[in-house]
Amino acid sequence: MNRLTKIMAVVALAMTLPQGCKNNSEAGTEKSGAINRSSAAEKVYVAPGEYDEFYSFMSGGFSGQISVYGLPSGRLLKVIPVFSVDGEKGYGFNEETKPLLETTHGFIPWDDAHHPELSQTNGVPDGKYIFINGNNTPRVARIDLTTFETAEIIELPNAGGNHSSPFTTENSEYVVAGTRFSVPVPQKDVPIATYKENFKGALSFISVDPEHGHMDIDFQVLMPGYDYDLAHAGKGKSHGWMFFTTYNTEQSHTLKEVNASQNDKDYIAAINWKKAQEYIKDGKFKEMDTEYLINRYDENKHMAETIKRNKVRVLDASECPGVVYFLPTPKSPHGVDVDPTGSYIIGNGKLNANLTVHSFDKMIQAIENESFAGDAYGIPVLNFEDVVAGTVESGGLGPLHTEFDGKGNAYTTFFISSEVVKWKLDTWEVLDRIPTYYSVGHLMIPGGDSKEPWGKYMVALNKITKDRYLPTGPELAHSAQLYDISGDKMELILDFPTIGEPHYAQAIPADLVAPNSKKIYSLEENAHPYATKSEKDTRVEKKGNEVHIYMTTIRSHFAPDNVEGIEVGDKVYFHVTNLEQDWDVPHGFSVMGAQTAELLIMPGQTETLLWEPKKPGVIPFYCTDFCSALHQEMQGYLRVSPKGQAPAVTATTGE
């Protein structure tokens, strides 16, 4: 049995462990994972009317969303639709947000959302934005944390499987995005077997406008045809560098579970983006013809619009000395993480029981001394021994991700052995370990990937929850587990289910976000082209088979609430403006037979629903969001006549 076969056998055996785990009563008495029930309850209890200490933003994975939880309570506060249409909020259904989901492939109503990442100032989360990736059809989204709504989505050309994203640099100069799957660049029809000759990996550096947050692709770095898994930015002394993990340095294109696990070491790609900026400034780049879309929501117009780009600046790593160096890292590294000082780069080799810690200072010294073990496609490979700071002899199985508490300690997840291990920076000594339930992937410490973590809590995001919750059919809820890490020993204090598949999370003190939360949209500032700012301006306009209904809503009626003159086959646009100017008074709008969704309209906002009546009749519409004691009375009627038989258009409210 060769080494790879032994590793795969251990992995296969370990993957069966959760099925044989102890039941709840037994698990609660295990020494290392025991819960002091009264103590834990006190630590997570948030009294009625009181607020949580932290906002936590969790990826929804295959749900395409971000879910927002309060910590330490674990209470679900909001689900933010990003890459998936959402009937509750009308996202992707109303005419204002449809453009956000446009791509060069057409309208894409779903994506696989991983890795939320907060914007940063001076290396610390600032609470302005949170970014998240679309993994399937490569995109990056920006969510505005004053509204908790998607503000922008940018498409990524030359990419396939946008996994190693969207990680921010120290001042959000860039959001980076690396392709998980290398593909032909530019795309073309080639035999898959010509992978080594034709496939490349593109790493995108997306600029973020400091005033408005607008994103665009500044440049891409064209890399060898490996798989680029995850990334993190340097900070402090390593600011100006970005680190990406790679696997499949074998450049296999089939049965990768075996063929992409042959090499003892793969690479962490260290990208000197400040050096790349110099090449761009000096004009030493190639301009590649391509197409990608930028979709931006205008908060004054209350609608999104699409910008089309047809070129991207590309730097070929093999032709740009000083931009990229490879750090050999065992074995099939998944996460790459940088400690708060920027001194250490941790490679989490998922087929290696130990953690490899690279030294940034040693890396710079090795570069200056040209201490190279060779090159890969023209990119220097640094000598392993010359860049390693130390090894954490953890004894776990399947290390994936590491975060930091700001007190000199690091915490690493081990997927197969279902545990989190706490260890000491500089000495690499294991200090504590605690089980998770089960198969933990990512973990999160508030600010744990920044220069100044808030090292009070740690959240483990688990993939398997057998025996943790009430069963719900073949698929069980995914799990987040909250640990108190304020003392020497980690303590499990809460277990709560999450929306979709949790991949990564970010958390930030509530007082950095809550005071900036938007309460209403000012009617005076509403620049929507179909806004109606008073009932006296409500009306219906018909031209051919296109009907525009300028409607308002306020507690507790619509204006107009009776409309006649519509015919079968018309395209009817309801432009509904919420006239309320009080916080937390949205109104809903729904019409029978609509093949979209409801509208959920915030105070002062305008949204549009497209409805196409299919048969004659009198059709009701109503408010779907409880708004007052007379909510049930908030309704109206539309008269639909056969084609060519409609009376004159009328729109009335009251007698």
Side-chain angles (χ1 to χ4, degrees):
M1 186 180 286
N2 63 33
R3 182 168 183 252
L4 175 64
T5 305
K6 289 179 180 177
I7 289 173
M8 298 307 293
V10 170
V11 170
L13 176 62
M15 284 296 288
T16 67
L17 291 177
Q19 300 179 35
C21 290
K22 296 179 175 64
N23 63 29
N24 282 339
S25 60
E26 293 171 322
T29 61
E30 291 177 15
K31 183 178 179 183
S32 58
I35 299 177
N36 182 327
R37 294 178 185 273
S38 61
S39 171
E42 289 176 1
K43 290 180 178 181
V44 302
Y45 180 67
V46 178
E50 293 185 359
Y51 292 166
D52 278 283
E53 186 178 355
F54 291 92
Y55 286 100
S56 177
F57 303 89
M58 297 190 181
S59 81
F62 48 67
S63 76
Q65 304 164 329
I66 289 179
S67 52
V68 186
Y69 294 83
L71 293 181
S73 74
R75 298 183 296 200
L76 177 63
L77 303 176
K78 187 179 179 73
V79 176
I80 305 172
V82 184
F83 296 112
S84 293
V85 294
D86 186 330
E88 175 197 347
K89 303 173 184 68
Y91 180 86
F93 290 106
N94 64 47
E95 297 302 298
E96 286 75 15
T97 57
K98 281 181 182 177
L100 285 169
L101 298 176
E102 288 291 342
T103 74
T104 55
H105 303 276
F107 181 83
I108 304 292
W110 171 88
D111 215 311
D112 185 18
H114 296 206
H115 312 139
E117 178 86 351
L118 289 158
S119 57
Q120 296 188 10
T121 300
N122 297 323
V124 180
D126 56 26
K128 291 176 64 178
Y129 311 119
I130 191 160
F131 304 92
I132 192 166
N133 67 0
N135 192 26
N136 183 58
T137 303
R139 289 171 284 175
V140 167
R142 174 175 59 88
I143 291 85
D144 186 331
L145 292 184
T146 65
T147 60
F148 283 66
E149 293 183 352
T150 301
E152 185 173 16
I153 297 179
I154 185 170
E155 189 179 6
L156 303 177
N158 301 324
N162 169 39
H163 193 254
S164 50
S165 74
F167 298 98
T168 56
T169 56
E170 197 169 274
N171 289 292
S172 301
E173 298 95 340
Y174 290 115
V175 172
V176 302
T179 186
R180 175 181 172 188
F181 311 116
S182 287
V183 293
V185 178
Q187 273 284 15
K188 55 188 174 183
D189 176 19
V190 297
I192 297 173
T194 64
Y195 186 106
K196 289 186 178 181
E197 294 79 22
N198 286 308
F199 288 48
K200 297 289 184 182
L203 310 181
S204 301
F205 284 75
I206 303 165
S207 61
V208 181
D209 177 74
E211 183 178 358
H212 300 104
H214 294 165
M215 299 185 294
D216 207 341
I217 298 174
D218 189 12
F219 61 90
Q220 293 183 319
V221 179
L222 207 57
M223 299 285 287
Y226 307 148
D227 289 58
Y228 297 86
D229 202 358
L230 280 161
H232 262 107
K235 54 181 74 83
K237 65 169 61 181
S238 54
H239 176 57
W241 292 79
M242 182 63 65
F243 303 95
F244 292 84
T245 49
T246 72
Y247 65 98
N248 192 29
T249 51
E250 299 85 352
Q251 295 185 276
S252 166
H253 58 79
T254 184
L255 201 61
K256 288 191 178 184
E257 63 175 337
V258 174
N259 296 326
S261 303
Q262 299 294 321
N263 294 338
D264 284 335
K265 294 183 178 68
D266 293 281
Y267 301 127
I268 290 173
I271 313 291
N272 185 340
W273 56 261
K274 289 192 174 181
K275 183 71 174 178
Q277 285 180 327
E278 293 177 11
Y279 278 101
I280 296 294
K281 183 179 178 181
D282 293 340
K284 297 177 180 178
F285 58 86
K286 298 175 182 177
E287 197 166 58
M288 181 179 291
D289 291 331
T290 188
E291 287 187 350
Y292 65 96
L293 303 185
I294 305 171
N295 306 318
R296 291 176 182 160
Y297 186 86
D298 186 314
E299 196 170 293
N300 291 321
K301 293 181 179 178
H302 301 184
M303 60 197 312
E305 59 184 6
T306 296
I307 302 165
K308 187 174 182 179
R309 298 276 192 258
N310 55 24
K311 293 185 183 298
V312 66
R313 298 187 295 196
V314 172
L315 297 175
D316 189 321
S318 65
E319 299 173 2
C320 300
V323 170
V324 186
Y325 298 91
F326 283 138
L327 284 64
T329 305
K331 176 174 185 180
S332 295
H334 182 56
V336 55
D337 303 284
V338 181
D339 83 300
T341 69
S343 299
Y344 300 116
I345 304 107
I346 292 86
N348 303 275
K350 59 182 180 285
L351 297 181
N352 185 44
N354 302 323
L355 293 175
T356 301
V357 183
H358 297 291
S359 164
F360 178 74
D361 290 337
K362 286 188 173 184
M363 184 192 83
I364 295 300
Q365 191 65 54
I367 291 170
E368 291 175 352
N369 294 340
E370 298 186 357
S371 179
F372 303 144
D375 73 88
Y377 291 89
I379 298 170
V381 178
L382 301 175
N383 278 319
F384 180 72
E385 295 78 10
D386 292 335
V387 295
V388 170
T391 301
V392 180
E393 304 284 347
S394 66
L397 290 173
L400 293 184
H401 299 280
T402 301
E403 293 226 337
F404 310 90
D405 63 8
K407 295 175 279 192
N409 304 310
Y411 301 73
T412 300
T413 58
F414 288 81
F415 177 78
I416 298 171
S417 51
S418 293
E419 61 184 332
V420 175
V421 172
K422 176 183 177 180
W423 51 276
K424 188 73 174 174
L425 288 162
D426 294 324
T427 68
W428 327 125
E429 172 192 5
V430 172
L431 302 175
D432 190 24
R433 63 177 67 238
I434 196 166
T436 63
Y437 304 95
Y438 307 96
S439 297
V440 58
H442 284 273
L443 80 164
M444 179 272 290
I445 294 170
D449 65 345
S450 74
K451 286 172 70 174
E452 297 180 12
W454 296 279
K456 184 176 181 179
Y457 300 116
M458 182 262 291
V459 176
L461 301 169
N462 306 325
K463 303 296 186 183
I464 297 174
T465 56
K466 288 182 175 67
D467 80 23
R468 301 306 290 178
Y469 307 121
L470 289 170
T472 52
E475 183 188 25
L476 301 177
H478 291 93
S479 168
Q481 293 186 304
L482 180 68
Y483 295 79
D484 181 346
I485 60 170
S486 60
D488 291 335
K489 296 292 183 180
M490 296 176 279
E491 179 190 0
L492 176 61
I493 58 175
L494 185 65
D495 200 326
F496 60 97
T498 62
I499 299 293
E501 183 191 13
H503 282 269
Y504 186 42
Q506 295 265 274
I508 188 171
D511 59 13
L512 292 180
V513 176
N516 304 318
S517 190
K518 195 176 189 72
K519 292 181 169 62
I520 65 168
Y521 293 90
S522 168
L523 272 174
E524 289 76 13
E525 296 174 4
N526 184 335
H528 192 293
Y530 294 98
T532 307
K533 299 184 182 181
S534 69
E535 283 194 20
K536 65 181 178 61
D537 296 322
T538 60
R539 63 198 184 277
V540 177
E541 296 178 354
K542 183 172 183 179
K543 185 176 182 180
N545 73 331
E546 192 169 289
V547 181
H548 292 267
I549 301 176
Y550 294 76
M551 180 177 285
T552 63
T553 179
I554 194 166
R555 288 167 287 185
S556 297
H557 66 275
F558 294 97
D561 64 4
N562 282 205
V563 177
E564 299 189 14
I566 295 171
E567 298 178 320
V568 171
D570 283 348
K571 290 182 177 292
V572 183
Y573 293 88
F574 295 91
H575 307 291
V576 187
T577 301
N578 183 348
L579 297 181
E580 308 282 0
Q581 291 290 267
D582 291 336
W583 188 23
D584 197 28
V585 190
H587 287 293
F589 176 82
S590 181
V591 59
M592 190 171 75
Q595 295 180 306
T596 52
E598 68 159 357
L599 299 179
L600 187 61
I601 314 147
M602 298 301 116
Q605 192 175 42
T606 302
E607 289 191 0
T608 302
L609 182 145
L610 171 60
W611 178 63
E612 299 182 56
K614 301 294 192 296
K615 53 189 176 182
V618 177
I619 308 299
F621 60 87
Y622 68 102
C623 177
T624 54
D625 191 292
F626 185 89
C627 55
S628 73
L630 296 176
H631 168 69
Q632 290 296 97
E633 285 74 12
M634 195 167 175
Q635 60 191 49
Y637 291 104
L638 306 161
R639 178 183 172 187
V640 179
S641 302
K643 187 71 175 175
Q645 300 179 32
V649 171
T650 60
T652 60
T653 307
E655 297 299 332

